[in-house]
Amino acid sequence: MTTPFYVSPQQAMADRAEYARKGIARGRSVVVLQYADGIVFVAENPSRALHKVSEIYDRIAFAAVGKYNEFENLRIGGVRYADLRGYTYDREDVTARGLANVYAQTLGTIFSSAAEKPYEVELIVAEVGEGPEDDQIYRLPHDGSIVDEHGSVAVGGNADQISSYLDQRHRDGMTLAEALKLAVDSLSRDNNGGERSLTAEQLEVAVLDRNRPQKRKFKRVLGGQLSRLLESAESAAGSEDSSDSEGTEESTSESED
């Protein structure tokens, strides 16, 4: 009789975590930013049918990276949970915190189970509030832990580099065009420090707009509207650069005088 191969629980969990992280890192990134009127979701996703960003309930949206079939199952489960809770109790009882707790329990159970592989997904659940201080953004890694985020968050791909870029440049009270440009600029940066050019056709963009009059605050930004926002952001950035250069020239000439 052969002796079974022994692996310590710590090593087994470390191996499962490494497996999930590698799967998540292979996917394209998703960026979520707060702006003055709500929360914007920007994903590098050329597909028009397989969405990384989706509506869950009135004020709640969901973003994910990793294996599509796995996070799509989680999205459907989240919609069912929200619909049932809103119907049984009240629509106000459906919150991002409650949904994040449900996802955390599901991911944690799968991650700790030796009978199946861990999910190769990382999720973001966000809820727009009456004001910016009431917004909620939760990041859920593959192991079911919950991270309460503020301002900006990135998942998937080179998320660490993107998050560092966002932390240095994101500020409160940004317009939608400014937040969108910052998100696209961060997604355009590759692991080697270079930059790529991302067009509207390569992006999936949606917002939770607190100023929408209806209960459902989720709205996709598509086609011409997205192109116009990107163009206006580029124009504003170009005018700022030119004014800065003019100010530098004027100060130089004054110092020469």
Side-chain angles (χ1 to χ4, degrees):
M1 180 177 177
T2 59
T3 303
F5 184 72
Y6 174 76
V7 178
S8 67
Q10 293 87 348
Q11 185 61 47
M13 286 300 176
D15 291 343
R16 292 171 69 83
E18 183 66 18
Y19 171 84
R21 280 195 293 265
K22 285 183 177 179
I24 294 167
R26 285 194 290 268
R28 295 184 176 95
S29 300
V30 175
V31 170
V32 178
L33 296 172
Q34 287 181 273
Y35 70 102
D37 296 326
I39 301 171
V40 60
F41 302 75
V42 184
E44 184 181 353
N45 183 16
S47 174
R48 299 274 72 87
L50 306 178
H51 296 300
K52 291 184 175 183
V53 180
S54 300
E55 179 184 26
I56 295 291
Y57 209 63
D58 294 345
R59 293 175 167 268
I60 304 172
F62 165 99
V65 293
K67 282 202 169 183
Y68 177 80
N69 64 314
E70 293 178 348
F71 68 67
E72 179 65 7
N73 284 336
L74 292 170
R75 182 193 69 82
I76 293 171
V79 172
R80 289 172 177 167
Y81 159 83
D83 283 343
L84 180 60
R85 187 168 183 83
Y87 178 78
T88 305
Y89 301 101
D90 188 85
R91 300 184 77 93
E92 298 297 325
D93 292 325
V94 182
T95 64
R97 183 181 304 167
L99 182 61
N101 286 330
V102 171
Y103 281 145
Q105 293 173 18
T106 302
L107 289 172
T109 301
I110 293 171
F111 181 75
S112 60
S113 172
E116 56 184 320
K117 77 170 189 65
Y119 270 17
E120 299 169 60
V121 299
E122 191 165 7
L123 313 179
I124 296 175
V125 177
E127 178 180 359
V128 67
E130 296 297 331
E133 65 280 359
D134 301 317
D135 293 343
Q136 299 177 39
I137 302 175
Y138 300 100
R139 177 171 62 86
L140 293 101
H142 55 275
D143 60 357
S145 56
I146 303 178
V147 183
D148 187 7
E149 302 283 359
H150 299 279
S152 64
V153 59
V155 293
N158 55 332
D160 292 339
Q161 180 181 346
I162 293 174
S163 296
S164 176
Y165 184 87
L166 292 173
D167 289 342
Q168 296 172 11
R169 292 164 176 79
H170 181 264
R171 55 180 173 79
D172 295 336
M174 298 179 79
T175 65
L176 176 57
E178 290 171 340
L180 180 58
K181 183 180 186 306
L182 176 58
V184 173
D185 288 346
S186 67
L187 291 172
S188 301
R189 304 176 69 82
D190 56 34
N191 290 325
N192 299 322
E195 293 187 8
R196 300 170 294 136
S197 177
L198 293 177
T199 64
E201 290 73 24
Q202 297 172 282
L203 298 172
E204 179 184 358
V205 180
V207 296
L208 286 170
D209 185 354
R210 78 177 91 256
N211 294 329
R212 293 193 84 192
Q214 57 264 56
K215 284 182 177 292
R216 297 174 63 181
K217 306 301 182 182
F218 182 86
K219 178 178 67 174
R220 294 194 182 276
V221 183
L222 304 168
Q225 183 184 8
L226 177 56
S227 298
R228 287 192 295 273
L229 279 170
L230 292 172
E231 290 172 3
S232 65
E234 290 293 339
S235 301
S239 62
E240 287 179 3
D241 292 341
S242 61
S243 63
D244 289 343
S245 62
E246 288 175 1
T248 304
E249 290 175 0
E250 289 176 1
S251 61
T252 304
S253 61
E254 288 176 358
S255 61
E256 289 175 352
D257 292 341

